[in-house]
Amino acid sequence: MISPAESTKSIRLEILRQDTPSSQGYWQTFDVPITPASNVTSLLRTISGRPVTSDGRNVAPPAYEASCLEEVCGSCTMVINGRVRQACSTLVRRLMAESPGSPITIEPMTKFPVIRDLIVDRSRMFENLKRIKAWIPIDGSFNLGAGPKITPEQQHTMYPLSRCMSCGSCLEACPQFTRDNHFLGAQIFSMARYYNMHPNGKPDADARMEVLMGDGGITDCGNSQNCVRVCPKDIPLTESIGVIGRSATVYSIKKFFSK
Ligand code: SF4
Ligand code: FES
């Protein structure tokens, strides 16, 4: 905890910046006043209001994303003190407890192309969600009537999966997910499991399995289990990987005998 006396203190922030998608990154250091309630987003906002480096240079404010400010949208995901997490829910006092006396380092995620400073292009993740049809097909303005019943047992399994906010943390931490391959990653496997379980998502289950068994699919998972360690929503990702692996086996057998 930060004591009242410490609440007037500053903390040093080292930010890895990058001006354009193709330019080299460089570090800039800022000293920022903190309060007991400071989180990393609030520090970035303070810097934006007065973007002056520790050695007194006026610079452009660091570019970063934030929307919900309550760990729901995933847009503020970045690498803070070497660990991927959300800037809005990362409290400065916790970081100080983790590494007393050290500056806070902030870097953009490394598995997605940098657009500027801490903003990355996570289109790959959203394109993959489109590929697995991560939606319930209920288009239309007519009355579809009551939806199918979902048992409390199904809800118990599905609800944790539904909490995914597409932050990309699991992909950032995964050694298998690199910029030059097509690995889908734990988030996609887990979302496919969710929609395959949903009564209205089931009709597209085979189409999902085709994607999950193609290039970059489930067989490429190295089972490092880093994904489950960093997921801020505590989604049982390794369980989902196991379920999708078994579904892939069943689907292959079904496909073989239906030839
Ligand atoms: S599974 Fe967890 S870590 Fe991965 S994108 Fe969803 S919320 Fe983020
Ligand atoms: S701003 Fe939405 S998760 Fe941080």
Side-chain angles (χ1 to χ4, degrees), residues 65-76 86-89 165:
E65 278 188 290
S67 181
C68 69
L69 302 180
E70 55 180 358
E71 203 183 76
V72 172
C73 73
S75 68
C76 67
Q86 285 63 53
C88 68
S89 56
M165 59 177 175

Side-chain angles (χ1 to χ4, degrees), residues 125 163-170 187 230-233 235 237:
M125 185 170 54
R163 290 194 307 237
C164 177
M165 59 177 175
S166 299
C167 64
S169 299
C170 53
Q187 180 229 12
V230 299
C231 176
K233 297 297 182 184
I235 296 171
L237 294 170

Side-chain angles (χ1 to χ4, degrees), residues 88-114:
C88 68
S89 56
T90 301
L91 296 174
V92 172
R93 63 170 187 264
R94 292 230 181 102
L95 295 174
M96 290 170 81
E98 270 174 33
S99 322
S102 302
I104 295 172
T105 61
I106 304 181
E107 301 163 71
M109 284 197 282
T110 61
K111 301 290 177 76
F112 302 98
V114 172

Side-chain angles (χ1 to χ4, degrees), residues 172-192:
E172 174 69 19
C174 175
Q176 215 66 28
F177 188 94
T178 63
R179 288 226 208 164
D180 56 3
N181 69 13
H182 297 112
F183 185 51
L184 296 165
Q187 180 229 12
I188 296 295
F189 302 140
S190 199
M191 291 314 287

Side-chain angles (χ1 to χ4, degrees), residues 79-91:
V79 180
I80 300 166
N81 280 0
R83 185 194 157 125
V84 64
R85 38 192 157 184
Q86 285 63 53
C88 68
S89 56
T90 301
L91 296 174

Side-chain angles (χ1 to χ4, degrees), residues 28-192:
Q28 260 176 3
T29 304
F30 300 86
D31 291 315
V32 193
I34 49 169
T35 71
S38 291
N39 57 46
V40 171
T41 299
S42 70
L43 299 188
L44 289 168
R45 201 167 41 206
T46 303
I47 294 173
S48 297
R50 188 176 169 275
V52 179
T53 60
S54 302
D55 56 4
R57 283 180 301 124
N58 287 308
V59 294
Y64 64 97
E65 278 188 290
S67 181
C68 69
L69 302 180
E70 55 180 358
E71 203 183 76
V72 172
C73 73
S75 68
C76 67
T77 305
M78 53 188 75
V79 180
I80 300 166
N81 280 0
R83 185 194 157 125
V84 64
R85 38 192 157 184
Q86 285 63 53
C88 68
S89 56
T90 301
L91 296 174
V92 172
R93 63 170 187 264
R94 292 230 181 102
L95 295 174
M96 290 170 81
E98 270 174 33
S99 322
S102 302
I104 295 172
T105 61
I106 304 181
E107 301 163 71
M109 284 197 282
T110 61
K111 301 290 177 76
F112 302 98
V114 172
I115 295 173
R116 184 180 170 121
D117 295 335
L118 302 167
I119 300 178
V120 296
D121 177 0
R122 291 179 295 161
S123 306
R124 172 174 168 184
M125 185 170 54
F126 299 114
E127 289 303 319
N128 283 337
L129 284 169
K130 284 196 243 168
R131 286 182 65 208
I132 60 150
K133 299 176 185 289
W135 56 73
I136 299 299
I138 52 165
D139 285 349
S141 55
F142 48 92
N143 185 356
L144 294 170
K149 289 225 165 73
I150 300 178
T151 65
E153 291 73 27
Q154 285 173 313
Q155 288 172 23
H156 186 74
T157 305
M158 290 168 70
Y159 179 68
L161 308 179
S162 75
R163 290 194 307 237
C164 177
M165 59 177 175
S166 299
C167 64
S169 299
C170 53
L171 309 177
E172 174 69 19
C174 175
Q176 215 66 28
F177 188 94
T178 63
R179 288 226 208 164
D180 56 3
N181 69 13
H182 297 112
F183 185 51
L184 296 165
Q187 180 229 12
I188 296 295
F189 302 140
S190 199
M191 291 314 287

